[in-house]
Amino acid sequence: MWGKGLKPKKLAVAVRHAAFEDLGTFQSTLTASGYSTQYLDAGCDHLNPASNADLLIVLGGPISANDEAYYPYLRHEIELIEQRLSAGLPILGICLGAQLIARAMGSRVYAGPAKEIGFAAIELTKAGLSSPISELAGGSVLHWHGETFDLPNGATLLASTAICENQAFSVGTQAMACQFHPEVCDGRFERWLIGHHSELVSERIDIGHLRATEWGERDALRLRSDAFLKIWLAQLV
């Protein structure tokens, strides 16, 4: 039983595709906003607990949203997203998660003009200026993707970059999709540099420079990411 004046915590379920691509700084923001959190590891855990969760967060990962021939569980994720979108249940997609939301809404996911790896600012659309995404403006966010997607029908474009036009979109107030990574500012970025070592070397990315840039951006990005997520969570019904 809950004591007088206490409310049960809401449940946020995060679908994780790689151990080091987790909720990051979003974890503390969710806790402060009254959510308990549960991870489901894609391909290992059954997705049933996510069906009726108060919030579903689909995280990033190093695979393609089109890779269900290699990773059949991607089809189950897309079906879960379709169900939640149809029911109007809250969902947040990050990078691969954003691409899976786009696929669930009938859009193509395909190779972008170039890989986008590193820290850079996003350019807000008119709609983005009046959305929670606006809290992420005024500084850089982490980009780490080689694919992009067509803006789904019924979605509102919120942000772009020169390389990738569709960086963030919303569907009403209940669904938010970010191609970039606002959650990566929790002091554990070295896990990313180790986990993505082969890609960084093959793309001739200066690992030392990327590490130093994250260090310089970390505190400011943490504040902006916290504000972004708090405002978006507050508008959920």
Side-chain angles (χ1 to χ4, degrees):
M1 295 179 63
W2 292 88
K4 185 177 181 180
L6 296 179
K7 295 181 179 180
K9 284 184 175 293
K10 293 170 284 188
L11 175 62
V13 172
V15 177
R16 180 171 53 187
H17 302 90
F20 59 88
E21 293 201 34
D22 57 19
L23 287 168
T25 190
F26 281 177
Q27 177 68 67
S28 60
T29 305
L30 287 164
T31 300
S33 299
Y35 286 84
S36 62
T37 54
Q38 176 184 357
Y39 283 105
L40 297 178
D41 287 316
C44 299
D45 297 326
H46 203 290
L47 298 181
N48 273 355
S51 298
N52 297 310
D54 297 288
L55 172 63
L56 172 65
I57 303 174
V58 185
L59 296 167
I63 62 178
S64 169
N66 297 315
D67 273 349
E68 60 259 60
Y70 301 113
Y71 306 104
Y73 55 79
L74 288 172
R75 170 43 55 188
H76 300 151
E77 291 187 57
I78 292 171
E79 291 172 353
L80 171 64
I81 293 168
E82 290 172 343
Q83 293 166 6
R84 290 188 65 93
L85 288 171
S86 295
L89 296 173
I91 180 170
L92 172 63
I94 303 296
C95 199
L96 173 58
Q99 296 167 1
L100 289 170
I101 293 176
R103 278 206 61 192
M105 295 183 68
S107 289
R108 293 186 309 138
V109 175
Y110 50 92
K115 283 197 174 184
E116 194 171 23
I117 300 175
F119 286 86
I122 52 173
E123 181 177 348
L124 301 179
T125 64
K126 183 177 180 180
L129 289 169
S130 58
S131 81
I133 286 287
S134 65
E135 297 295 330
L136 294 169
S140 296
V141 294
L142 177 66
H143 304 271
W144 204 311
H145 64 99
E147 294 189 318
T148 186
F149 48 81
D150 293 328
L151 185 68
N153 290 332
T156 300
L157 181 64
L158 303 176
S160 304
T161 60
I163 294 177
C164 180
E165 180 180 5
N166 297 323
Q167 279 285 353
F169 67 84
S170 60
V171 184
T173 59
Q174 301 304 103
M176 177 71 71
C178 300
Q179 177 66 82
F180 51 89
H181 289 273
E183 82 285 7
V184 182
C185 45
D186 65 349
R188 297 183 293 167
F189 188 59
E190 197 67 23
R191 299 178 307 157
W192 284 64
L193 300 181
I194 296 169
H196 288 299
H197 173 77
S198 295
E199 181 181 26
L200 291 171
V201 171
S202 67
E203 294 297 320
R204 298 184 178 181
I205 302 293
D206 186 330
I207 295 174
H209 176 72
L210 188 56
R211 179 187 290 118
T213 303
E214 187 275 336
W215 176 263
E217 296 284 349
R218 182 185 300 169
D219 291 343
L221 179 54
R222 182 186 294 117
L223 292 174
R224 289 184 284 117
S225 296
D226 178 68
F228 154 68
L229 186 58
K230 280 183 177 176
I231 292 172
W232 184 68
L233 292 173
Q235 73 180 18
L236 297 179
V237 295

